[in-house]
Amino acid sequence: MMLLEINKTFKRWVLSFGLLASLFFLTSCTENTPIKIGFIGGLSGRVADLGTAGRNGFMLAIEEQNAKGGLHGRPIEVIYKDDQQQPQRAQALINDLLKENVDAIIGPMTSAMAMATVDQINEANKLMMACTVSTNKLTDLDDSFMRPLSDNQTHAAKMGAFIQQQEPLAKRAVAIVDIGNKAYTLDWVEGFKQAYESGSNSLRATHTFISTEDTPFARVANVAMKINPDLVVLAMNAVDATLMIKQIRLTNPDVVIAVAEWAGTERLIQLGGHYVENIYVPQYIDRSSTKESYLAFKKRFHKRFQSSPGFPALFCYDATRIVLTGLSKREGPQSLKEILLSIGSFEGTQGPITLNKYGDGRSSTFITRIQHGRFVVME
Amino acid sequence: MTTKKNWPLRTILSSQFLIVAIIPVILVALLSLYLLIPKINHSHYLGQKTLSESIASQVTTYLDNAASDLKVLASFAMQERKLFNQNLGLLDIYTTNQAYFSAIYLTDLNGIITNIGLPSHRQYLRSNFLSLDVSNTNIFKQVTSSGQSGWSDVFLSTVSGRLSVAYTQPFLDGTLVGEISVEELPKLVQNLAKQHQVTVMILDSQRQLIAHPDAELSHQQINLSTLDLVQQTDNGQSLSLPFTFNHEQLIGTASIMPGINWMVISAQNKSEVEAEQSAVYDILVAAIFIGIISAGLLAMLLAREFIAGFTHAALQARSIASGDYQAPPTQSRIRELQWLADNLVTTGQAIETREHEIIQLNSDLERRVEERTEDLRMSHAELELTLNNLKQAQEQLIQSEKLSALGSLVAGVSHELNTPIGNSLMTSSTLTESVRTIVKQSESNQLTRSSFDTFISEVEQGSHILERNLQRASELIHSFKQVAVDQSSAKKRGFNLEQHFSEVLTTLHPVLKKSPIKVNTTIASSLFLNSYPGALSQIITNLIQNALLHAFDSTKQGIITVTANEIDTEKVRIIFEDNGKGMSKEMQSSIFDPFFTTKLGQGGSGLGLHIVHNLVTNVLKGTITVDSDQGQGTKMILDLPISI
């Protein structure tokens, strides 16, 4: 600091002699105070694909906005927090962000983390716009939590109904769920079950595990397969799903497999190989969309990250855009939440995103099936 | 003369010293800005470049060693294929015992993992990974498409759960893959960061961050392809650029690792780099201060010395100016000032010497003036004496002139009276004769009537003649008497101007009668003066005589006109004007001077007009002026007070 001041003195001295005046003048301009936005998600570890993809979507939105000169001339500063899918860690990180007095928080990526931190942000009255949190437990609450997508009830029910109609032979089902994120997985399976169970269709058992690098997936799968089900429903992340599906297929190559949206990332196909062929994967996004805004987004994303954007990237991108829109309209005493609710409808990458009065968005579910290493939209 | 604005010596010296002190500093500043600081920056760049290259080579060596390890394993296994039988657990042993690989596995041509070696603490998870289909992974695609062994991009390993890089080589009817966790890299760069106080970052071929001193960041697959430094380095440039990462302002240089196309960035905190520049700035600022202060002090000291010298010189000059030539010279160590002081002393002495000479010269001069004055006084006395003599002579002359005038007056009177009296005498004698004749006739009774009538006519005629001549004589005498009385008595009285003129002109009648000149008078009869008529008579006489004598060539006809008018209630103007030959201006200036005459030796005394001037000014208290020109006649103008 001292050096800096002497440096300035020197500069002033140079100025006073009229030398290089313009050169130094430029450096002494003051900048506008930046707008701070925090991002929280699982950015490291073996199942970080959701978090890093979401982070990339967020990053792209911020970089694009900053390239346009920020918000009303104020640059946007971002603070990334890696919750590593650990609730206590997430709570500490949210505290950090609140201490930093960020203007808004984007994230987290999973329902478990959202449930762990929602009280903190409600208490602090700080807007948290989640990207992909779909637990029913946060549905229609007048709180500081918002999300651009519908809850599990909507999504899982559609999947259940679809299987019930399209796979009439799949009458005996088992579910395997990661209860590390039970706010999501159990919700989802429950939603699925209600739509699926009709007639003789029945979800016989729900097997649980907690995802770690030491989880014996093969053994979990083998146990689940013991009752010889027609349908296996998986609610877990993509990496775990591939390991699980491999084992299921080795046991029974013909069993119908349906996974929750969580696993519907690019990694599922990458790591799954031929084992994931023909499994059903519901998607929050329409991968077959030919909407210009979606194609342009895909192109920009690919240019930036050399990979295709999955749903986490897209939802984080849209969530960030929504928050930026709100921040750009902010003036006076209105809170960001009030502004967003008063705006209501936003331009999304795949069409307009409408927030209800509780700040929950509404999204569709697109059922896809993996065929020849690609997600093919069925419905 | 315009005076230039001047300043105190102190100001001039200080400002010029400042300029002298500052110019080199400015030059040094410019040199620093354009030479030294770029050089410092360049040395930073070189340091960072060297570091990043050395790290790149360390990492390359590490990976090369791992790759050659795997190759050794492969060639060994080629010879003893059954060694890869799952039950023998050779891959497990190898994975557990060597330093590099976190997993080594074999796949068939379809990408199905057929055998996998895991470190002992993870071997129970083997079934998780056996039979996995890796055909969609980049690792497998890379080796099957090229048929070449090589390193993969960094990926999040399903097997180890860590960011890993895999060496893949074709092996029999499949591939042999060895995964290395890149977790060691953050430790490496952490150590480097501590050793060199630099931030070392390693990016994979997609420019994702895989190693950073902050290990947490190493695992987040942050894509840094948008950094200027990364892009420029990828474009083949080698340079040092500032960038911001994780809220830190850094300046760094990047090197690309050949083969695996990773990038090593070696960066320093921008403020630390700038601290060195700041040191240069500090030195410059210090130099400026030292320069300014020393220049100021020096200027002050010098100024003090100069001012003392100059002030003393000025005081010395002032003493000299006030006449004190003995003011002692100041002592200065500045030769020029000393010279000035010495010269002032010399100047004082020179002035003193010259002053003495001037005083001497002055007294000489005064003496001479006195002598001359004495001479003048004497000649003045002489002149005064002469003047008195002259005045006496003049008086005498005037008296004699008066006598002469009296003489001529008497002669004129005699001459005038002579005619009527002679006529009367002759008539009376004729009458006497007639009476005698008549008496005789009567006595002789011869008296006839005709003779008596003749007698009576003669007597009547004779008595008439007598009466007329005696009348004339009487008039003359009256006039003379009047003139004489006036001239002699000089009595002031009231008189009629016209009448007086008439009387005076009567006395001049004999002269005028003989002359071809006529005198016309135009005088208002109402003019009365209370003055000295005698003096006026003399003036009229002199002016008319003077005109007769000088104004006309003897034979020509001429007219003298006398006019008199009141100027105001106080004054009367009398003008004697002739139509004679006039006179020059030069002559006019002298005519009232005594003894001025143009007819010297022809009867003129040169005093006529002088007397006139005297009488007019001294007796009648008036003025006389002459107005004349050659050939234009002469006008004598007398302005006289009506009453004195």
Side-chain angles (χ1 to χ4, degrees):
Chain A
M1 202 59 202
M2 186 66 187
L3 292 173
L4 203 73
E5 267 165 18
I6 294 172
N7 200 353
K8 274 185 187 164
T9 317
F10 175 73
K11 282 175 185 173
R12 262 184 229 125
W13 177 80
V14 172
L15 255 180
S16 71
F17 287 90
L19 289 169
L20 309 165
S22 54
L23 187 79
F24 284 91
F25 189 75
L26 291 172
T27 64
S28 62
C29 292
T30 53
E31 283 178 358
N32 285 327
T33 49
I35 288 172
K36 284 188 196 168
I37 300 182
F39 178 90
I40 184 165
L43 297 173
S44 65
R46 49 186 287 279
V47 294
D49 58 320
L50 186 81
T52 54
R55 191 265 328 272
N56 287 352
F58 167 78
M59 195 186 256
L60 183 66
I62 298 291
E63 283 176 1
E64 285 175 359
Q65 191 66 43
N66 273 338
K68 285 183 209 158
L71 284 178
H72 302 308
R74 294 172 66 186
I76 302 157
E77 189 184 300
V78 293
I79 302 169
Y80 295 106
K81 295 291 180 189
D82 175 16
D83 59 31
Q84 296 177 2
Q85 300 281 45
Q86 294 166 20
Q88 284 176 348
R89 185 179 163 89
Q91 285 165 357
L93 295 176
I94 288 291
N95 271 341
D96 290 351
L97 289 175
L98 292 175
K99 269 185 211 152
E100 287 271 7
N101 197 23
V102 292
D103 293 277
I105 298 167
I106 307 294
M109 299 303 293
T110 61
S111 297
M113 298 304 111
M115 293 307 293
T117 56
V118 72
D119 289 344
Q120 283 170 278
I121 57 113
N122 281 336
E123 196 180 324
N125 225 358
K126 185 65 67 185
L127 184 101
M128 182 156 81
M129 176 65 80
C131 303
T132 54
V133 172
S134 57
T135 176
N136 296 334
K137 294 188 173 62
L138 292 173
T139 304
D140 290 351
L141 296 177
D142 185 14
D143 54 8
S144 293
F145 172 86
M146 292 190 176
R147 56 185 171 197
L149 77 176
S150 303
D151 62 10
N152 281 333
Q153 192 66 39
T154 324
H155 298 117
K158 183 167 180 183
M159 189 65 185
F162 179 85
I163 296 290
Q164 191 249 338
Q165 286 164 20
Q166 300 296 317
E167 295 286 350
L169 299 178
K171 297 194 178 301
R172 217 144 51 119
V174 291
I176 308 175
V177 300
D178 171 8
I179 54 165
N181 187 13
K182 64 182 177 186
Y184 170 77
T185 53
L186 293 181
D187 259 13
W188 197 89
V189 171
E190 186 57 31
F192 179 88
K193 180 181 171 185
Q194 281 170 17
Y196 164 75
E197 283 189 337
S198 64
S200 55
N201 283 0
S202 136
L203 180 69
R204 298 292 176 85
T206 299
H207 298 270
T208 62
F209 68 96
I210 291 175
S211 173
T212 67
E213 60 187 62
D214 300 325
T215 308
F217 294 98
R219 201 182 311 159
V220 176
N222 289 342
V223 171
M225 291 305 285
K226 270 186 182 156
I227 64 161
N228 197 20
D230 310 315
L231 169 69
V232 183
V233 179
L234 305 178
M236 59 193 68
N237 69 63
V239 178
D240 294 351
T242 55
L243 295 174
M244 205 67 84
I245 289 165
K246 184 260 303 177
Q247 200 60 36
I248 292 164
R249 283 272 183 258
L250 290 176
T251 317
N252 179 357
D254 301 319
V255 69
V256 177
I257 300 175
V259 300
E261 289 89 343
W262 185 11
T265 69
E266 324 314 291
R267 263 171 90 72
L268 181 68
I269 294 173
Q270 222 176 51
L271 299 176
H274 70 280
Y275 299 115
V276 296
E277 283 291 310
N278 293 320
I279 68 165
Y280 292 103
V281 188
Q283 295 276 338
Y284 293 134
I285 58 172
D286 179 5
R287 288 177 174 273
S288 64
S289 169
T290 52
K291 252 190 177 343
E292 208 170 300
S293 55
Y294 173 65
L295 297 177
F297 167 72
K298 255 171 90 168
K299 205 169 163 187
R300 292 201 303 277
F301 189 89
H302 195 270
K303 188 180 172 207
R304 174 69 179 87
F305 301 106
Q306 294 87 48
S307 62
S308 296
F311 76 88
L314 192 142
F315 272 99
C316 275
Y317 182 83
D318 280 348
T320 310
R321 294 286 331 141
I322 288 169
V323 167
L324 290 177
T325 305
L327 287 173
S328 77
K329 301 241 162 89
R330 186 172 60 175
E331 52 187 23
Q334 251 191 328
S335 73
L336 182 56
K337 175 185 167 187
E338 287 165 343
I339 293 164
L340 291 180
L341 291 179
S342 72
I343 298 171
S345 181
F346 300 86
E347 202 65 47
T349 307
Q350 290 208 328
I353 296 167
T354 309
L355 299 181
N356 68 12
K357 63 178 176 174
Y358 304 107
D360 289 340
R362 186 197 305 242
S363 58
S364 308
T365 295
F366 303 88
I367 310 290
T368 67
R369 196 169 192 186
I370 296 177
Q371 288 173 342
H372 309 294
R374 296 184 56 200
F375 293 107
V376 178
V377 180
M378 310 294 291
E379 187 182 316
Chain B
M1 198 180 92
T2 53
T3 41
K4 255 188 162 176
K5 185 166 166 50
N6 55 25
W7 285 278
L9 182 65
R10 207 182 296 274
T11 312
I12 292 173
L13 271 181
S14 307
S15 56
Q16 299 205 341
F17 267 79
L18 269 184
I19 291 168
V20 166
I22 282 164
I23 283 174
V25 176
I26 290 174
L27 289 177
V28 170
L30 288 173
L31 286 174
S32 306
L33 283 175
Y34 290 104
L35 292 176
L36 184 59
I37 287 170
K39 206 158 190 178
I40 290 174
N41 289 343
H42 188 68
S43 81
H44 273 289
Y45 160 73
L46 286 180
Q48 290 173 345
K49 187 80 189 162
T50 312
L51 189 64
S52 66
E53 276 169 359
S54 114
I55 295 160
S57 98
Q58 279 185 50
V59 175
T60 310
T61 309
Y62 180 85
L63 294 175
D64 283 353
N65 290 344
S68 64
D69 246 30
L70 204 68
K71 277 176 194 156
V72 170
L73 176 68
S75 62
F76 180 58
M78 291 284 263
Q79 294 159 11
E80 298 286 338
R81 287 179 64 178
K82 63 179 178 194
L83 286 175
F84 274 177
N85 185 304
Q86 239 183 72
N87 299 328
L88 287 175
L90 180 69
L91 286 178
D92 277 346
I93 295 163
Y94 199 84
T95 307
T96 308
N97 292 337
Q98 52 73 48
Y100 306 108
F101 297 104
S102 55
I104 301 172
Y105 49 88
L106 284 167
T107 72
D108 61 16
L109 284 173
N110 297 319
I112 308 295
I113 294 176
T114 55
N115 193 356
I116 182 162
L118 292 166
S120 50
H121 67 282
R122 289 179 60 80
Q123 285 168 9
Y124 72 102
L125 291 170
R126 193 191 318 276
S127 57
N128 276 354
F129 312 118
L130 274 177
S131 304
L132 262 180
D133 182 355
V134 294
S135 57
N136 278 340
T137 60
N138 290 333
I139 310 166
F140 191 76
K141 283 179 182 165
Q142 203 173 311
V143 74
T144 48
S145 65
S146 67
Q148 302 271 315
S149 55
W151 288 102
S152 71
D153 283 340
V154 173
F155 61 98
L156 194 56
S157 166
T158 315
V159 179
S160 63
R162 292 169 187 170
L163 281 178
S164 302
V165 58
Y167 187 81
T168 312
Q169 66 169 60
F171 178 75
L172 298 174
D173 44 358
T175 55
L176 178 64
V177 182
E179 283 186 9
I180 294 178
S181 164
V182 295
E183 251 169 20
E184 293 303 314
L185 292 177
K187 287 180 196 158
L188 172 73
V189 298
Q190 258 168 2
N191 289 337
L192 287 168
K194 275 182 202 153
Q195 281 171 31
H196 298 274
Q197 291 178 327
V198 289
T199 300
V200 176
M201 299 157 74
I202 302 178
L203 312 183
D204 72 3
S205 57
Q206 295 195 336
R207 302 301 174 240
Q208 295 194 128
L209 183 67
I210 56 171
H212 187 273
D214 181 352
E216 204 174 288
L217 293 172
S218 304
H219 302 137
Q220 296 185 5
Q221 294 168 275
I222 299 167
N223 191 304
L224 297 180
S225 60
T226 48
L227 282 186
D228 249 12
L229 175 64
V230 174
Q231 288 178 350
Q232 305 244 31
T233 309
D234 273 333
N235 289 337
Q237 297 189 47
S238 177
L239 72 182
S240 176
L241 273 185
F243 64 96
T244 304
F245 178 68
N246 196 32
H247 310 294
E248 264 189 309
Q249 301 253 313
L250 301 162
I251 290 178
T253 307
S255 301
I256 293 177
M257 288 161 59
I260 53 169
N261 189 29
W262 289 5
M263 188 181 279
V264 179
I265 295 175
S266 152
Q268 260 172 297
N269 210 306
K270 201 173 169 197
S271 58
E272 279 170 27
V273 176
E274 279 171 352
E276 274 183 58
Q277 298 182 358
S278 293
V280 174
Y281 294 143
D282 293 350
I283 290 166
L284 285 173
V285 170
I288 290 163
F289 277 115
I290 291 167
I292 288 171
I293 289 166
S294 53
L297 279 174
L298 215 59
M300 224 162 69
L301 289 174
L302 258 183
R304 189 184 291 174
E305 193 161 1
F306 277 147
I307 287 166
F310 285 135
T311 309
H312 199 278
L315 287 174
Q316 208 175 343
R318 191 185 286 177
S319 314
I320 290 169
S322 64
D324 177 9
Y325 305 113
Q326 298 310 320
T330 179
Q331 293 300 318
S332 172
R333 66 190 182 90
I334 298 168
R335 191 181 292 164
E336 284 76 6
L337 277 175
Q338 188 61 53
W339 196 37
L340 175 65
D342 291 347
N343 271 322
L344 276 170
V345 172
T346 317
T347 306
Q349 288 164 352
I351 290 173
E352 195 175 20
T353 313
R354 230 162 282 171
E355 204 177 54
H356 279 306
E357 286 172 11
I358 287 169
I359 289 169
Q360 189 62 43
L361 215 62
N362 255 359
S363 63
D364 280 4
L365 204 62
E366 262 171 42
R367 193 172 43 76
R368 250 185 265 171
V369 168
E370 259 168 44
E371 283 172 9
R372 200 64 56 84
T373 314
E374 188 57 31
D375 287 355
L376 281 172
R377 202 178 296 144
M378 282 169 70
S379 47
H380 178 71
E382 279 171 25
L383 279 173
E384 216 164 329
L385 196 60
T386 313
L387 190 66
N388 281 343
N389 291 344
L390 277 172
K391 275 186 181 164
Q392 276 179 6
Q394 188 186 10
E395 289 292 320
Q396 283 168 0
L397 272 171
I398 288 170
Q399 286 306 318
S400 63
E401 178 76 5
K402 279 181 179 172
L403 286 176
S404 149
L406 193 63
S408 63
L409 186 70
V410 169
V413 168
S414 307
H415 180 77
E416 286 297 308
L417 284 178
N418 195 37
T419 306
I421 289 174
N423 288 345
S424 300
L425 264 180
M426 199 172 67
T427 308
S428 74
S429 50
T430 306
L431 279 174
T432 307
E433 192 58 37
S434 295
V435 168
R436 221 177 269 144
T437 309
I438 282 297
V439 168
K440 271 179 189 172
Q441 284 173 349
S442 164
E443 283 174 349
S444 55
N445 284 332
Q446 291 175 305
L447 189 54
T448 66
R449 182 144 188 115
S450 67
S451 59
F452 190 70
D453 285 346
T454 308
F455 174 69
I456 290 297
S457 151
E458 283 177 2
V459 168
E460 199 175 16
Q461 204 177 357
S463 55
H464 190 67
I465 292 165
L466 275 176
E467 191 183 358
R468 210 175 59 206
N469 276 296
L470 287 174
Q471 183 72 31
R472 170 81 183 144
S474 171
E475 276 174 12
L476 282 172
I477 286 165
H478 182 259
S479 299
F480 294 154
K481 192 176 148 203
Q482 196 69 46
V483 171
V485 166
D486 288 348
Q487 282 190 341
S488 56
S489 69
K491 201 174 107 189
K492 190 171 87 174
R493 64 175 173 87
F495 58 94
N496 181 281
L497 192 60
E498 187 194 17
Q499 197 185 338
H500 190 73
F501 257 90
S502 171
E503 283 168 1
V504 176
L505 287 175
T506 305
T507 64
L508 290 173
H509 188 65
V511 184
L512 294 168
K513 207 167 64 183
K514 284 188 274 178
S515 153
I517 311 299
K518 281 191 171 173
V519 177
N520 294 334
T521 56
T522 314
I523 298 166
S525 56
S526 61
L527 281 174
F528 283 88
L529 268 68
N530 184 22
S531 190
Y532 294 94
L536 186 59
S537 304
Q538 176 114 39
I539 291 162
I540 296 165
T541 308
N542 278 12
L543 285 176
I544 295 202
Q545 280 181 345
N546 202 54
L548 292 174
L549 195 58
H550 299 291
F552 305 103
D553 290 332
S554 51
T555 54
K556 282 195 179 159
Q557 296 271 322
I559 298 169
I560 298 171
T561 310
V562 180
T563 53
N565 287 303
E566 251 178 335
I567 300 171
D568 52 36
T569 54
E570 304 275 294
K571 276 186 175 171
V572 66
R573 172 166 286 179
I574 304 165
I575 301 168
F576 290 81
E577 190 175 9
D578 65 59
N579 59 352
K581 55 191 178 189
M583 61 181 118
S584 66
K585 293 282 172 200
E586 197 184 4
M587 205 185 282
Q588 288 172 37
S589 63
S590 308
I591 53 171
F592 297 115
D593 291 350
F595 311 114
F596 177 80
T597 179
T598 52
K599 296 237 191 283
L600 197 66
Q602 295 173 35
S605 65
L607 283 172
L609 285 177
H610 180 63
I611 290 168
V612 166
H613 188 263
N614 273 353
L615 290 171
V616 170
T617 54
N618 293 340
V619 179
L620 302 184
K621 307 296 180 196
T623 59
I624 179 165
T625 49
V626 60
D627 179 13
S628 176
D629 215 337
Q630 210 86 41
Q632 299 292 316
T634 302
K635 214 190 246 182
M636 291 288 184
I637 302 156
L638 285 78
D639 288 341
L640 302 175
I642 287 171
S643 181
I644 49 171

